[in-house]
């Protein structure tokens, strides 16, 4: 038996055209590290506490960090440097039992530096009532475009809270976002920090806010380990990167994770057909006219025709240090619940 840890792998890399790749992998830790020939670092080598005080607990060897949510606060940490391109990952174990209203996020942002024009890339894991599976969503903002969410939501095909699980899948990307003229300045383009947080998202995370966090089950504990920060630290104010970063970017472009093979593209298509249950491109309630970068596929449009009544928490900007602060809610009708 192998310990079930969920690798949340967030990768964006320079190419022609520019593109963003998001991976979600679930396999044994040693295989996860070897799959892309990457080395792990300790918490202190790459991260610093963000908020939560005693709710951020590091292991004695510094290789593991636990984030706790109780009725008083959540917790979070932030990378010590900012990166423009790179590959970033961690093994993540999520809380079990009743987790409705929870949001465990692993994301990048530069909102502390660019308050009105910030960029953001999100992995957000959304809790559920007992016996119901965790779900997760991806999203991105560019140049402060927080009024236009680009969420996709997916079901998890395994229980990420179990300590042991016989499970393995290949390195399947789940989403590709290509930089295009249609997106204009709304594509993330500036250096960002990497964040991990756990917080109370009762007003939107589970069935549109129908089910709240129940602190009878607190503390809720998420665990992060096997950290990877593969990239060149960047100064967000500098117009041009250093010579060392150009060399690092060349290595990143030639890495296995910087491109999608034919096999991976086929696997990504199958994953999205099987596990994706919401895409902003087909949400006619939010966007009567699809955003310009969307390519509408008739079969997908028919599959997602009744999924436009979800709620979303908006950008992470401004909510990092107050875990129970209510996020901005989009779309209030929950007569039909695609999350169930």
């Amino acid at each position: 038996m192998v310990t079930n840890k969920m690798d949340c792998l967030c990768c964006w890399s320079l190419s022609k055209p520019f593109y963003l790749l998001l991976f979600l992998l679930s396999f044994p830790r040693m295989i996860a590290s070897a799959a892309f020939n990457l080395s792990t670092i300790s918490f202190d080598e790459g991260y610093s506490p963000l908020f939560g005080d005693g709710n951020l607990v590091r292991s004695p060897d510094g290789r593991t960090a636990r984030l706790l949510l109780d009725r008083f606060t959540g917790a979070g940490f932030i990378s010590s440097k900012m990166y423009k391109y790179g590959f970033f990952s961690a093994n993540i174990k999520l809380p079990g039992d009743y987790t409705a209203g929870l949001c465990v996020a692993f994301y990048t942002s530069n909102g502390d530096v660019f308050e009105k024009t910030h960029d953001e890339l999100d992995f957000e894991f959304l809790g559920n009532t007992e016996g119901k599976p965790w779900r997760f969503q991806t999203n991105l903002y560019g140049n402060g475009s927080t009024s236009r969410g680009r969420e996709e939501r997916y079901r998890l095909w395994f229980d990420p809270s179990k300590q042991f699980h016989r499970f393995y899948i290949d390195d399947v990307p789940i989403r590709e976002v290509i930089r295009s003229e249609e997106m204009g300045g709304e594509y993330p383009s500036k250096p960002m920090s990497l964040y991990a947080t756990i917080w109370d998202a009762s007003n939107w995370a589970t069935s549109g806010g129908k089910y709240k966090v129940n602190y009878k089950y607190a503390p809720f504990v998420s665990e992060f380990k096997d950290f990877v920060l593969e990239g060149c630290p960047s100064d967000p104010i500098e117009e041009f990167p250093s010579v060392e970063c150009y060399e690092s970017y060349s290595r990143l472009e030639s890495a296995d994770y910087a491109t999608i093979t034919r096999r991976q593209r086929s696997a990504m298509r199958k994953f999205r057909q099987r596990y994706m249950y919401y895409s902003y491109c087909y949400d006619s309630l939010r966007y009567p006219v699809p955003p310009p970068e969307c390519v509408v596929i008739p079969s997908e449009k028919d599959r997602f025709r009744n999924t436009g009544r979800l709620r979303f928490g908006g950008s992470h900007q401004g909510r990092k240090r107050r875990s129970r602060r209510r996020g901005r809610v989009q779309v209030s009708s929950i007569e039909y619940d695609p999350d169930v």
Side-chain angles (χ1 to χ4, degrees):
M1 301 180 76
V2 297
T3 302
N4 177 42
K5 302 291 185 181
M6 183 166 55
D7 258 19
C8 168
L9 305 182
C10 178
C11 167
W12 69 102
S13 180
L14 178 64
S15 184
K16 295 181 180 180
F18 295 177
Y19 57 85
L20 162 70
L21 299 181
L22 296 177
F23 290 83
L24 183 73
L25 296 85
S26 175
F27 42 40
R29 175 171 57 88
M30 295 304 295
I31 296 177
S33 299
F36 294 119
N37 192 28
L38 298 170
S39 58
T40 62
I41 61 173
S42 67
F43 180 89
D44 289 336
E45 286 179 290
Y47 293 95
S48 301
L50 180 64
F51 73 101
D53 299 326
N55 281 15
L56 194 166
V57 182
R58 283 170 282 186
S59 62
D61 64 1
R63 311 297 294 190
T64 300
R66 290 184 173 183
L67 298 181
L68 284 68
L69 171 69
D70 57 29
R71 66 178 62 254
F72 302 105
T73 185
F77 57 81
I78 181 175
S79 62
S80 304
K81 305 289 184 180
M82 301 182 76
Y83 302 87
K84 189 170 185 179
Y85 307 108
F87 186 95
F88 314 101
S89 72
N91 279 306
I92 305 171
K93 187 172 185 291
L94 300 177
D97 300 321
Y98 184 96
T99 58
L102 290 185
C103 180
V104 177
F106 188 62
Y107 67 101
T108 62
S109 176
N110 50 31
D112 289 342
V113 178
F114 304 99
E115 293 185 4
K116 295 183 179 180
T117 60
H118 91 287
D119 304 313
E120 185 173 315
L121 306 172
D122 297 332
F123 265 110
E124 295 177 310
F125 300 94
L126 309 178
N128 216 329
T129 55
E130 192 166 5
K132 297 289 183 65
W134 278 81
R135 293 141 301 114
F136 70 101
Q137 69 178 26
T138 62
N139 191 20
L140 68 151
Y141 300 106
N143 201 33
S145 58
T146 56
S147 63
R148 194 200 299 265
R150 291 178 165 89
E151 292 90 349
E152 290 184 353
R153 198 169 285 188
Y154 323 83
R155 294 182 176 88
L156 282 177
W157 57 100
F158 62 98
D159 186 343
S161 68
K162 298 299 184 183
Q163 184 177 4
F164 296 101
H165 189 71
R166 297 181 184 272
F167 197 86
Y168 173 82
I169 67 169
D170 290 329
D171 49 317
V172 178
I174 62 172
R175 184 174 183 180
E176 178 187 33
V177 182
I178 298 176
R179 187 170 192 168
S180 62
E181 293 182 1
E182 289 79 9
M183 289 189 71
E186 296 186 3
Y187 191 91
S189 60
K190 299 183 290 294
M192 290 181 273
S193 300
L194 188 67
Y195 295 82
T197 59
I198 184 171
W199 54 284
D200 184 327
S202 288
N203 65 325
W204 67 273
T206 306
S207 298
K210 181 179 179 180
Y211 300 102
K212 316 291 185 183
V213 172
N214 188 338
Y215 286 98
K216 178 180 72 173
Y217 298 94
F220 301 97
V221 181
S222 58
E223 183 177 345
F224 295 75
K225 64 187 299 185
D226 302 320
F227 303 103
V228 173
L229 285 175
E230 189 74 14
C232 185
S234 300
D235 186 328
I237 308 302
E238 287 185 355
E239 185 175 355
F240 300 103
S242 64
V243 174
E244 292 80 7
C245 279
Y246 277 120
E247 296 174 353
S248 175
Y249 296 163
S250 296
R251 291 195 302 271
L252 288 169
E253 285 190 51
S254 61
D256 292 341
Y257 50 75
T259 58
I260 299 181
T261 65
R262 181 179 299 179
R263 178 191 62 79
Q264 287 176 315
R265 191 168 296 281
S266 174
M268 178 171 66
R269 183 172 59 252
K270 292 177 181 177
F271 169 88
R272 293 170 67 83
Q273 289 174 347
R274 185 171 183 180
Y275 296 110
M276 186 172 75
Y277 67 94
Y278 173 87
S279 170
Y280 74 102
C281 284
Y282 300 104
D283 190 339
S284 59
L285 293 180
R286 293 175 76 190
Y287 305 119
V289 177
E293 75 274 9
C294 290
V295 177
V296 176
I297 301 172
S299 59
E300 287 189 348
K301 183 178 180 180
D302 182 66
R303 182 158 61 98
F304 294 126
R305 67 183 183 276
N306 291 324
T307 62
R309 293 182 174 88
L310 300 182
R311 286 187 176 184
F312 305 97
S315 169
H316 284 264
Q317 186 181 22
R319 74 158 96 104
K320 296 185 291 297
R321 294 172 179 80
R322 296 184 62 190
S323 63
R324 296 185 69 183
R325 177 179 175 181
R326 295 297 185 246
R328 176 172 52 83
V329 178
Q330 304 169 352
V331 185
S332 60
S333 173
I334 54 172
E335 295 174 2
Y336 171 80
D337 186 2
D339 276 340
V340 173

